[in-house]
mmCIF file with all atom_site columns, all heavy atoms in Angstrom:
data_model
loop_
_atom_site.group_PDB
_atom_site.id
_atom_site.type_symbol
_atom_site.label_atom_id
_atom_site.label_alt_id
_atom_site.label_comp_id
_atom_site.label_asym_id
_atom_site.label_entity_id
_atom_site.label_seq_id
_atom_site.pdbx_PDB_ins_code
_atom_site.Cartn_x
_atom_site.Cartn_y
_atom_site.Cartn_z
_atom_site.occupancy
_atom_site.B_iso_or_equiv
_atom_site.pdbx_formal_charge
_atom_site.auth_seq_id
_atom_site.auth_comp_id
_atom_site.auth_asym_id
_atom_site.auth_atom_id
_atom_site.pdbx_PDB_model_num
ATOM 1   N N   . ALA A 1 1  ? -0.336  -9.696  7.714   1.00 84.00 ? 1  ALA A N   1
ATOM 2   C CA  . ALA A 1 1  ? -0.188  -11.002 8.362   1.00 84.00 ? 1  ALA A CA  1
ATOM 3   C C   . ALA A 1 1  ? 1.156   -11.133 9.054   1.00 84.00 ? 1  ALA A C   1
ATOM 4   O O   . ALA A 1 1  ? 1.294   -11.850 10.046  1.00 84.00 ? 1  ALA A O   1
ATOM 5   C CB  . ALA A 1 1  ? -0.359  -12.117 7.333   1.00 84.00 ? 1  ALA A CB  1
ATOM 6   N N   . ALA A 1 2  ? 2.162   -10.413 8.531   1.00 86.00 ? 2  ALA A N   1
ATOM 7   C CA  . ALA A 1 2  ? 3.493   -10.447 9.139   1.00 86.00 ? 2  ALA A CA  1
ATOM 8   C C   . ALA A 1 2  ? 3.610   -9.497  10.327  1.00 86.00 ? 2  ALA A C   1
ATOM 9   O O   . ALA A 1 2  ? 4.679   -9.370  10.916  1.00 86.00 ? 2  ALA A O   1
ATOM 10  C CB  . ALA A 1 2  ? 4.543   -10.097 8.080   1.00 86.00 ? 2  ALA A CB  1
ATOM 11  N N   . GLY A 1 3  ? 2.506   -8.805  10.659  1.00 86.00 ? 3  GLY A N   1
ATOM 12  C CA  . GLY A 1 3  ? 2.497   -7.938  11.826  1.00 86.00 ? 3  GLY A CA  1
ATOM 13  C C   . GLY A 1 3  ? 2.979   -6.526  11.571  1.00 86.00 ? 3  GLY A C   1
ATOM 14  O O   . GLY A 1 3  ? 3.239   -5.783  12.514  1.00 86.00 ? 3  GLY A O   1
ATOM 15  N N   . VAL A 1 4  ? 3.088   -6.131  10.301  1.00 87.00 ? 4  VAL A N   1
ATOM 16  C CA  . VAL A 1 4  ? 3.525   -4.777  9.961   1.00 87.00 ? 4  VAL A CA  1
ATOM 17  C C   . VAL A 1 4  ? 2.299   -3.886  9.833   1.00 87.00 ? 4  VAL A C   1
ATOM 18  O O   . VAL A 1 4  ? 1.384   -4.175  9.051   1.00 87.00 ? 4  VAL A O   1
ATOM 19  C CB  . VAL A 1 4  ? 4.334   -4.767  8.646   1.00 87.00 ? 4  VAL A CB  1
ATOM 20  C CG1 . VAL A 1 4  ? 4.751   -3.340  8.290   1.00 87.00 ? 4  VAL A CG1 1
ATOM 21  C CG2 . VAL A 1 4  ? 5.557   -5.666  8.781   1.00 87.00 ? 4  VAL A CG2 1
ATOM 22  N N   . ASP A 1 5  ? 2.255   -2.825  10.608  1.00 83.00 ? 5  ASP A N   1
ATOM 23  C CA  . ASP A 1 5  ? 1.096   -1.939  10.639  1.00 83.00 ? 5  ASP A CA  1
ATOM 24  C C   . ASP A 1 5  ? 1.109   -1.012  9.435   1.00 83.00 ? 5  ASP A C   1
ATOM 25  O O   . ASP A 1 5  ? 2.085   -0.306  9.185   1.00 83.00 ? 5  ASP A O   1
ATOM 26  C CB  . ASP A 1 5  ? 1.102   -1.117  11.934  1.00 83.00 ? 5  ASP A CB  1
ATOM 27  C CG  . ASP A 1 5  ? -0.187  -0.331  12.113  1.00 83.00 ? 5  ASP A CG  1
ATOM 28  O OD1 . ASP A 1 5  ? -1.219  -0.766  11.581  1.00 83.00 ? 5  ASP A OD1 1
ATOM 29  O OD2 . ASP A 1 5  ? -0.156  0.723   12.784  1.00 83.00 ? 5  ASP A OD2 1
ATOM 30  N N   . THR A 1 6  ? 0.039   -1.029  8.645   1.00 86.00 ? 6  THR A N   1
ATOM 31  C CA  . THR A 1 6  ? -0.069  -0.142  7.498   1.00 86.00 ? 6  THR A CA  1
ATOM 32  C C   . THR A 1 6  ? -1.539  0.214   7.281   1.00 86.00 ? 6  THR A C   1
ATOM 33  O O   . THR A 1 6  ? -2.433  -0.573  7.604   1.00 86.00 ? 6  THR A O   1
ATOM 34  C CB  . THR A 1 6  ? 0.518   -0.786  6.237   1.00 86.00 ? 6  THR A CB  1
ATOM 35  O OG1 . THR A 1 6  ? 0.495   0.152   5.159   1.00 86.00 ? 6  THR A OG1 1
ATOM 36  C CG2 . THR A 1 6  ? -0.240  -2.039  5.838   1.00 86.00 ? 6  THR A CG2 1
ATOM 37  N N   . LEU A 1 7  ? -1.805  1.389   6.752   1.00 83.00 ? 7  LEU A N   1
ATOM 38  C CA  . LEU A 1 7  ? -3.169  1.855   6.557   1.00 83.00 ? 7  LEU A CA  1
ATOM 39  C C   . LEU A 1 7  ? -3.817  1.160   5.370   1.00 83.00 ? 7  LEU A C   1
ATOM 40  O O   . LEU A 1 7  ? -3.155  0.803   4.397   1.00 83.00 ? 7  LEU A O   1
ATOM 41  C CB  . LEU A 1 7  ? -3.178  3.366   6.328   1.00 83.00 ? 7  LEU A CB  1
ATOM 42  C CG  . LEU A 1 7  ? -2.687  4.244   7.488   1.00 83.00 ? 7  LEU A CG  1
ATOM 43  C CD1 . LEU A 1 7  ? -2.646  5.706   7.045   1.00 83.00 ? 7  LEU A CD1 1
ATOM 44  C CD2 . LEU A 1 7  ? -3.596  4.088   8.698   1.00 83.00 ? 7  LEU A CD2 1
ATOM 45  N N   . SER A 1 8  ? -5.141  1.002   5.425   1.00 82.00 ? 8  SER A N   1
ATOM 46  C CA  . SER A 1 8  ? -5.907  0.474   4.297   1.00 82.00 ? 8  SER A CA  1
ATOM 47  C C   . SER A 1 8  ? -7.363  0.808   4.518   1.00 82.00 ? 8  SER A C   1
ATOM 48  O O   . SER A 1 8  ? -7.791  1.078   5.648   1.00 82.00 ? 8  SER A O   1
ATOM 49  C CB  . SER A 1 8  ? -5.722  -1.039  4.157   1.00 82.00 ? 8  SER A CB  1
ATOM 50  O OG  . SER A 1 8  ? -6.266  -1.709  5.272   1.00 82.00 ? 8  SER A OG  1
ATOM 51  N N   . ASP A 1 9  ? -8.141  0.778   3.430   1.00 80.00 ? 9  ASP A N   1
ATOM 52  C CA  . ASP A 1 9  ? -9.571  1.044   3.578   1.00 80.00 ? 9  ASP A CA  1
ATOM 53  C C   . ASP A 1 9  ? -10.391 0.182   2.628   1.00 80.00 ? 9  ASP A C   1
ATOM 54  O O   . ASP A 1 9  ? -10.909 -0.858  3.019   1.00 80.00 ? 9  ASP A O   1
ATOM 55  C CB  . ASP A 1 9  ? -9.872  2.522   3.353   1.00 80.00 ? 9  ASP A CB  1
ATOM 56  C CG  . ASP A 1 9  ? -11.326 2.864   3.631   1.00 80.00 ? 9  ASP A CG  1
ATOM 57  O OD1 . ASP A 1 9  ? -11.937 2.183   4.477   1.00 80.00 ? 9  ASP A OD1 1
ATOM 58  O OD2 . ASP A 1 9  ? -11.873 3.784   2.991   1.00 80.00 ? 9  ASP A OD2 1
ATOM 59  N N   . CYS A 1 10 ? -10.437 0.535   1.331   1.00 76.00 ? 10 CYS A N   1
ATOM 60  C CA  . CYS A 1 10 ? -11.391 -0.118  0.436   1.00 76.00 ? 10 CYS A CA  1
ATOM 61  C C   . CYS A 1 10 ? -10.993 -1.536  0.065   1.00 76.00 ? 10 CYS A C   1
ATOM 62  O O   . CYS A 1 10 ? -11.848 -2.402  -0.131  1.00 76.00 ? 10 CYS A O   1
ATOM 63  C CB  . CYS A 1 10 ? -11.577 0.715   -0.830  1.00 76.00 ? 10 CYS A CB  1
ATOM 64  S SG  . CYS A 1 10 ? -10.164 0.661   -1.975  1.00 76.00 ? 10 CYS A SG  1
ATOM 65  N N   . GLY A 1 11 ? -9.711  -1.806  -0.083  1.00 78.00 ? 11 GLY A N   1
ATOM 66  C CA  . GLY A 1 11 ? -9.232  -3.139  -0.434  1.00 78.00 ? 11 GLY A CA  1
ATOM 67  C C   . GLY A 1 11 ? -9.348  -3.493  -1.898  1.00 78.00 ? 11 GLY A C   1
ATOM 68  O O   . GLY A 1 11 ? -8.973  -4.598  -2.301  1.00 78.00 ? 11 GLY A O   1
ATOM 69  N N   . VAL A 1 12 ? -9.855  -2.595  -2.746  1.00 79.00 ? 12 VAL A N   1
ATOM 70  C CA  . VAL A 1 12 ? -10.019 -2.909  -4.171  1.00 79.00 ? 12 VAL A CA  1
ATOM 71  C C   . VAL A 1 12 ? -9.390  -1.849  -5.079  1.00 79.00 ? 12 VAL A C   1
ATOM 72  O O   . VAL A 1 12 ? -9.665  -1.802  -6.271  1.00 79.00 ? 12 VAL A O   1
ATOM 73  C CB  . VAL A 1 12 ? -11.509 -3.088  -4.536  1.00 79.00 ? 12 VAL A CB  1
ATOM 74  C CG1 . VAL A 1 12 ? -12.081 -4.311  -3.860  1.00 79.00 ? 12 VAL A CG1 1
ATOM 75  C CG2 . VAL A 1 12 ? -12.323 -1.847  -4.179  1.00 79.00 ? 12 VAL A CG2 1
ATOM 76  N N   . GLY A 1 13 ? -8.554  -0.982  -4.503  1.00 78.00 ? 13 GLY A N   1
ATOM 77  C CA  . GLY A 1 13 ? -7.836  -0.010  -5.321  1.00 78.00 ? 13 GLY A CA  1
ATOM 78  C C   . GLY A 1 13 ? -8.588  1.251   -5.646  1.00 78.00 ? 13 GLY A C   1
ATOM 79  O O   . GLY A 1 13 ? -8.185  2.001   -6.547  1.00 78.00 ? 13 GLY A O   1
ATOM 80  N N   . ASN A 1 14 ? -9.666  1.550   -4.913  1.00 78.00 ? 14 ASN A N   1
ATOM 81  C CA  . ASN A 1 14 ? -10.449 2.746   -5.195  1.00 78.00 ? 14 ASN A CA  1
ATOM 82  C C   . ASN A 1 14 ? -9.947  3.989   -4.476  1.00 78.00 ? 14 ASN A C   1
ATOM 83  O O   . ASN A 1 14 ? -10.027 5.095   -5.011  1.00 78.00 ? 14 ASN A O   1
ATOM 84  C CB  . ASN A 1 14 ? -11.912 2.534   -4.788  1.00 78.00 ? 14 ASN A CB  1
ATOM 85  C CG  . ASN A 1 14 ? -12.663 1.638   -5.747  1.00 78.00 ? 14 ASN A CG  1
ATOM 86  O OD1 . ASN A 1 14 ? -12.351 1.584   -6.924  1.00 78.00 ? 14 ASN A OD1 1
ATOM 87  N ND2 . ASN A 1 14 ? -13.653 0.924   -5.233  1.00 78.00 ? 14 ASN A ND2 1
ATOM 88  N N   . CYS A 1 15 ? -9.451  3.809   -3.234  1.00 80.00 ? 15 CYS A N   1
ATOM 89  C CA  . CYS A 1 15 ? -9.286  4.972   -2.366  1.00 80.00 ? 15 CYS A CA  1
ATOM 90  C C   . CYS A 1 15 ? -7.857  5.497   -2.253  1.00 80.00 ? 15 CYS A C   1
ATOM 91  O O   . CYS A 1 15 ? -7.648  6.674   -1.978  1.00 80.00 ? 15 CYS A O   1
ATOM 92  C CB  . CYS A 1 15 ? -9.804  4.652   -0.962  1.00 80.00 ? 15 CYS A CB  1
ATOM 93  S SG  . CYS A 1 15 ? -8.843  3.389   -0.082  1.00 80.00 ? 15 CYS A SG  1
ATOM 94  N N   . GLY A 1 16 ? -6.848  4.661   -2.393  1.00 82.00 ? 16 GLY A N   1
ATOM 95  C CA  . GLY A 1 16 ? -5.456  5.095   -2.274  1.00 82.00 ? 16 GLY A CA  1
ATOM 96  C C   . GLY A 1 16 ? -4.946  5.160   -0.855  1.00 82.00 ? 16 GLY A C   1
ATOM 97  O O   . GLY A 1 16 ? -3.808  5.582   -0.624  1.00 82.00 ? 16 GLY A O   1
ATOM 98  N N   . THR A 1 17 ? -5.755  4.724   0.129   1.00 85.00 ? 17 THR A N   1
ATOM 99  C CA  . THR A 1 17 ? -5.329  4.792   1.526   1.00 85.00 ? 17 THR A CA  1
ATOM 100 C C   . THR A 1 17 ? -4.076  3.955   1.781   1.00 85.00 ? 17 THR A C   1
ATOM 101 O O   . THR A 1 17 ? -3.222  4.312   2.587   1.00 85.00 ? 17 THR A O   1
ATOM 102 C CB  . THR A 1 17 ? -6.466  4.312   2.452   1.00 85.00 ? 17 THR A CB  1
ATOM 103 O OG1 . THR A 1 17 ? -7.621  5.116   2.205   1.00 85.00 ? 17 THR A OG1 1
ATOM 104 C CG2 . THR A 1 17 ? -6.079  4.430   3.918   1.00 85.00 ? 17 THR A CG2 1
ATOM 105 N N   . CYS A 1 18 ? -3.952  2.826   1.095   1.00 89.00 ? 18 CYS A N   1
ATOM 106 C CA  . CYS A 1 18 ? -2.844  1.899   1.348   1.00 89.00 ? 18 CYS A CA  1
ATOM 107 C C   . CYS A 1 18 ? -1.599  2.216   0.527   1.00 89.00 ? 18 CYS A C   1
ATOM 108 O O   . CYS A 1 18 ? -0.634  1.434   0.542   1.00 89.00 ? 18 CYS A O   1
ATOM 109 C CB  . CYS A 1 18 ? -3.290  0.461   1.055   1.00 89.00 ? 18 CYS A CB  1
ATOM 110 S SG  . CYS A 1 18 ? -3.624  0.160   -0.690  1.00 89.00 ? 18 CYS A SG  1
ATOM 111 N N   . ALA A 1 19 ? -1.580  3.324   -0.197  1.00 89.00 ? 19 ALA A N   1
ATOM 112 C CA  . ALA A 1 19 ? -0.447  3.640   -1.074  1.00 89.00 ? 19 ALA A CA  1
ATOM 113 C C   . ALA A 1 19 ? 0.847   3.812   -0.277  1.00 89.00 ? 19 ALA A C   1
ATOM 114 O O   . ALA A 1 19 ? 0.866   4.487   0.751   1.00 89.00 ? 19 ALA A O   1
ATOM 115 C CB  . ALA A 1 19 ? -0.728  4.898   -1.872  1.00 89.00 ? 19 ALA A CB  1
ATOM 116 N N   . VAL A 1 20 ? 1.906   3.183   -0.734  1.00 91.00 ? 20 VAL A N   1
ATOM 117 C CA  . VAL A 1 20 ? 3.228   3.301   -0.119  1.00 91.00 ? 20 VAL A CA  1
ATOM 118 C C   . VAL A 1 20 ? 4.247   3.604   -1.203  1.00 91.00 ? 20 VAL A C   1
ATOM 119 O O   . VAL A 1 20 ? 4.034   3.332   -2.389  1.00 91.00 ? 20 VAL A O   1
ATOM 120 C CB  . VAL A 1 20 ? 3.633   2.019   0.643   1.00 91.00 ? 20 VAL A CB  1
ATOM 121 C CG1 . VAL A 1 20 ? 2.660   1.724   1.753   1.00 91.00 ? 20 VAL A CG1 1
ATOM 122 C CG2 . VAL A 1 20 ? 3.740   0.836   -0.298  1.00 91.00 ? 20 VAL A CG2 1
ATOM 123 N N   . LYS A 1 21 ? 5.390   4.133   -0.795  1.00 92.00 ? 21 LYS A N   1
ATOM 124 C CA  . LYS A 1 21 ? 6.435   4.500   -1.737  1.00 92.00 ? 21 LYS A CA  1
ATOM 125 C C   . LYS A 1 21 ? 7.262   3.267   -2.111  1.00 92.00 ? 21 LYS A C   1
ATOM 126 O O   . LYS A 1 21 ? 7.675   2.492   -1.246  1.00 92.00 ? 21 LYS A O   1
ATOM 127 C CB  . LYS A 1 21 ? 7.347   5.568   -1.141  1.00 92.00 ? 21 LYS A CB  1
ATOM 128 C CG  . LYS A 1 21 ? 8.370   6.126   -2.136  1.00 92.00 ? 21 LYS A CG  1
ATOM 129 C CD  . LYS A 1 21 ? 9.120   7.301   -1.538  1.00 92.00 ? 21 LYS A CD  1
ATOM 130 C CE  . LYS A 1 21 ? 10.086  7.919   -2.540  1.00 92.00 ? 21 LYS A CE  1
ATOM 131 N NZ  . LYS A 1 21 ? 9.389   8.426   -3.735  1.00 92.00 ? 21 LYS A NZ  1
ATOM 132 N N   . VAL A 1 22 ? 7.503   3.105   -3.412  1.00 92.00 ? 22 VAL A N   1
ATOM 133 C CA  . VAL A 1 22 ? 8.319   2.006   -3.921  1.00 92.00 ? 22 VAL A CA  1
ATOM 134 C C   . VAL A 1 22 ? 9.746   2.518   -4.115  1.00 92.00 ? 22 VAL A C   1
ATOM 135 O O   . VAL A 1 22 ? 9.973   3.477   -4.850  1.00 92.00 ? 22 VAL A O   1
ATOM 136 C CB  . VAL A 1 22 ? 7.758   1.471   -5.255  1.00 92.00 ? 22 VAL A CB  1
ATOM 137 C CG1 . VAL A 1 22 ? 8.627   0.326   -5.781  1.00 92.00 ? 22 VAL A CG1 1
ATOM 138 C CG2 . VAL A 1 22 ? 6.322   1.002   -5.076  1.00 92.00 ? 22 VAL A CG2 1
ATOM 139 N N   . LEU A 1 23 ? 10.692  1.879   -3.446  1.00 93.00 ? 23 LEU A N   1
ATOM 140 C CA  . LEU A 1 23 ? 12.091  2.307   -3.498  1.00 93.00 ? 23 LEU A CA  1
ATOM 141 C C   . LEU A 1 23 ? 12.879  1.591   -4.581  1.00 93.00 ? 23 LEU A C   1
ATOM 142 O O   . LEU A 1 23 ? 13.879  2.113   -5.062  1.00 93.00 ? 23 LEU A O   1
ATOM 143 C CB  . LEU A 1 23 ? 12.752  2.064   -2.131  1.00 93.00 ? 23 LEU A CB  1
ATOM 144 C CG  . LEU A 1 23 ? 12.044  2.729   -0.942  1.00 93.00 ? 23 LEU A CG  1
ATOM 145 C CD1 . LEU A 1 23 ? 12.708  2.333   0.361   1.00 93.00 ? 23 LEU A CD1 1
ATOM 146 C CD2 . LEU A 1 23 ? 12.045  4.250   -1.104  1.00 93.00 ? 23 LEU A CD2 1
ATOM 147 N N   . ASP A 1 24 ? 12.440  0.410   -4.965  1.00 92.00 ? 24 ASP A N   1
ATOM 148 C CA  . ASP A 1 24 ? 13.127  -0.330  -6.013  1.00 92.00 ? 24 ASP A CA  1
ATOM 149 C C   . ASP A 1 24 ? 12.191  -1.398  -6.561  1.00 92.00 ? 24 ASP A C   1
ATOM 150 O O   . ASP A 1 24 ? 11.348  -1.927  -5.845  1.00 92.00 ? 24 ASP A O   1
ATOM 151 C CB  . ASP A 1 24 ? 14.411  -0.977  -5.472  1.00 92.00 ? 24 ASP A CB  1
ATOM 152 C CG  . ASP A 1 24 ? 15.304  -1.508  -6.579  1.00 92.00 ? 24 ASP A CG  1
ATOM 153 O OD1 . ASP A 1 24 ? 15.278  -0.922  -7.678  1.00 92.00 ? 24 ASP A OD1 1
ATOM 154 O OD2 . ASP A 1 24 ? 16.024  -2.495  -6.353  1.00 92.00 ? 24 ASP A OD2 1
ATOM 155 N N   . GLY A 1 25 ? 12.346  -1.719  -7.858  1.00 92.00 ? 25 GLY A N   1
ATOM 156 C CA  . GLY A 1 25 ? 11.519  -2.740  -8.488  1.00 92.00 ? 25 GLY A CA  1
ATOM 157 C C   . GLY A 1 25 ? 10.501  -2.128  -9.430  1.00 92.00 ? 25 GLY A C   1
ATOM 158 O O   . GLY A 1 25 ? 10.274  -0.915  -9.452  1.00 92.00 ? 25 GLY A O   1
ATOM 159 N N   . GLU A 1 26 ? 9.871   -2.988  -10.246 1.00 92.00 ? 26 GLU A N   1
ATOM 160 C CA  . GLU A 1 26 ? 8.910   -2.542  -11.248 1.00 92.00 ? 26 GLU A CA  1
ATOM 161 C C   . GLU A 1 26 ? 7.510   -2.970  -10.835 1.00 92.00 ? 26 GLU A C   1
ATOM 162 O O   . GLU A 1 26 ? 7.272   -4.138  -10.517 1.00 92.00 ? 26 GLU A O   1
ATOM 163 C CB  . GLU A 1 26 ? 9.260   -3.144  -12.610 1.00 92.00 ? 26 GLU A CB  1
ATOM 164 C CG  . GLU A 1 26 ? 8.451   -2.576  -13.758 1.00 92.00 ? 26 GLU A CG  1
ATOM 165 C CD  . GLU A 1 26 ? 8.898   -3.123  -15.107 1.00 92.00 ? 26 GLU A CD  1
ATOM 166 O OE1 . GLU A 1 26 ? 9.799   -3.993  -15.134 1.00 92.00 ? 26 GLU A OE1 1
ATOM 167 O OE2 . GLU A 1 26 ? 8.339   -2.678  -16.126 1.00 92.00 ? 26 GLU A OE2 1
ATOM 168 N N   . VAL A 1 27 ? 6.569   -2.020  -10.837 1.00 91.00 ? 27 VAL A N   1
ATOM 169 C CA  . VAL A 1 27 ? 5.217   -2.247  -10.321 1.00 91.00 ? 27 VAL A CA  1
ATOM 170 C C   . VAL A 1 27 ? 4.243   -2.488  -11.468 1.00 91.00 ? 27 VAL A C   1
ATOM 171 O O   . VAL A 1 27 ? 4.295   -1.837  -12.514 1.00 91.00 ? 27 VAL A O   1
ATOM 172 C CB  . VAL A 1 27 ? 4.746   -1.031  -9.495  1.00 91.00 ? 27 VAL A CB  1
ATOM 173 C CG1 . VAL A 1 27 ? 3.323   -1.265  -8.975  1.00 91.00 ? 27 VAL A CG1 1
ATOM 174 C CG2 . VAL A 1 27 ? 5.695   -0.777  -8.336  1.00 91.00 ? 27 VAL A CG2 1
#
């Protein structure tokens, strides 16, 4: 929504397409 282009596919956590690297913080 903020206009940042990022990959995605299933939307429910099945495929891993939207996975990004976390540089700081607890997930």
Side-chain angles (χ1 to χ4, degrees):
V4 179
D5 188 27
T6 185
L7 296 175
S8 65
D9 186 29
C10 73
V12 293
N14 286 331
C15 66
T17 303
C18 67
V20 299
K21 187 173 183 61
V22 180
L23 304 175
D24 192 30
E26 189 176 3
V27 179

